Amino acid sequence: MKKLLIVEDEQRTAQGLQKGLQEHHYLADLAADGEEGFQRLQESEYELIVLDVMLPKMDGWEVLRRIREQGNRTPVLMLTALNDINDRVRGLQAGADDYLAKPFAFSEFMARVEAILRRTRPVVPVDMLTIGDLTINLMSHTVRRDQRTVELTPREFQLLCLLAENTGRFVSRKELAERVWNIHFDCETNVVDVAIRRLRQKVDDGQDSKLIHTVRGVGYVLEQR
């Protein structure tokens, strides 16, 4: 389970982000000021730092400067009430990986977090993905479940691979729409739900153990339960 550090002095905001991350199967530590955040980064390793700019004791710019001087390359998502283009440029030039202005929707925050983690995830080449008795051959584009071949369309194969690459993690409908259908806007289409229904029929029908699960209000997850 990935662990993040949230350095944010607004308690309500910090606790809201922590709770939301936990619901998406992430761990999140909190620091209420820049000095505490900097100290935590000396004591523990994190997958991502969520760093507010306007902090007591040591502002976000200084925290970022110090950790980068130490050679700490942990990805940083900066949060700020400042929405000036110069501030955004300053943050990115200082070594931040992304910049999110307040107020923001949690769904956008989560999309930024997951996008950063995808970009910074080490690439380990694999030829085969296995979840329970499901095997996905990435070279031959073939799928087998319980020793039988599962015939999938190219789009269904892409959808299954995306779920399999994130086994145990909820994948939102928005992310699926963006990465499989290249839909980058909110719309009422049920293309994702229809495709998942067809994929589930091919992968799970007739099986005692179901692998594709719906997470109400969130998206879908592929895992053996």
Side-chain angles (χ1 to χ4, degrees):
M1 188 176 290
K2 291 182 172 61
K3 185 166 71 168
L4 285 67
L5 175 64
I6 301 171
V7 189
E8 167 64 69
D9 63 319
E10 295 178 6
Q11 185 178 16
R12 184 175 179 182
T13 298
Q15 291 178 344
L17 294 179
Q18 183 185 46
K19 183 176 184 293
L21 285 165
Q22 289 171 345
E23 290 173 352
H24 284 73
H25 289 195
Y26 291 90
L27 295 175
D29 288 343
L30 301 182
D33 59 65
E35 286 186 0
E36 182 185 358
F38 183 74
Q39 185 59 39
R40 280 186 174 272
L41 290 166
Q42 311 309 302
E43 300 168 349
S44 301
E45 293 185 359
Y46 296 92
E47 300 280 347
L48 175 67
I49 305 164
V50 179
L51 180 63
D52 190 32
V53 170
M54 306 301 288
L55 293 168
K57 298 186 180 179
M58 185 192 303
D59 66 25
W61 303 124
E62 182 65 12
V63 174
L64 181 59
R65 184 188 68 79
R66 290 193 186 188
I67 65 172
R68 292 301 188 236
E69 282 185 351
Q70 291 179 336
N72 186 331
R73 307 312 302 171
T74 304
V76 172
L77 171 61
M78 299 203 77
L79 305 179
T80 181
L82 304 174
N83 198 24
D84 186 86
I85 185 64
N86 293 326
D87 291 298
R88 296 200 297 272
V89 171
R90 179 184 177 186
L92 296 172
Q93 289 179 337
D97 293 81
D98 204 350
Y99 197 103
L100 188 57
K102 299 176 182 177
F104 52 83
F106 180 78
S107 58
E108 182 181 6
F109 167 79
M110 201 66 234
R112 298 288 185 98
V113 166
E114 293 180 340
I116 293 173
L117 292 175
R118 283 197 303 271
R119 291 199 302 267
T120 57
R121 182 185 301 154
V123 178
V124 180
V126 294
D127 297 333
M128 192 84 70
L129 296 173
T130 303
I131 304 93
D133 59 359
L134 175 72
T135 57
I136 304 170
N137 190 313
L138 301 177
M139 301 298 292
S140 64
H141 284 212
T142 56
V143 177
R144 294 181 67 83
R145 177 84 199 267
D146 192 23
Q147 303 304 313
R148 67 176 179 86
T149 300
V150 180
E151 299 290 346
L152 300 179
T153 66
R155 188 86 71 179
E156 289 168 347
F157 182 82
Q158 186 181 358
L159 180 59
L160 181 63
C161 285
L162 178 55
L163 291 171
E165 289 166 359
N166 293 276
T167 300
R169 183 180 75 82
F170 307 150
V171 185
S172 69
R173 289 177 175 82
K174 183 176 184 295
E175 182 176 349
L176 291 171
E178 289 179 350
R179 298 183 61 187
V180 178
W181 285 269
N182 199 33
I183 298 174
H184 294 278
F185 53 88
D186 292 330
C187 58
E188 296 300 322
T189 179
N190 64 343
V191 62
V192 174
D193 298 317
V194 171
I196 287 287
R197 190 181 310 127
R198 291 174 179 165
L199 182 63
R200 184 178 274 144
Q201 288 172 350
K202 295 182 178 183
V203 172
D204 280 344
D205 276 8
Q207 300 292 331
D208 293 332
S209 174
K210 309 302 182 184
L211 296 178
I212 302 173
H213 306 278
T214 301
V215 184
R216 191 175 300 278
V218 179
Y220 299 94
V221 61
L222 179 72
E223 65 183 357
Q224 189 172 28
R225 295 181 178 177

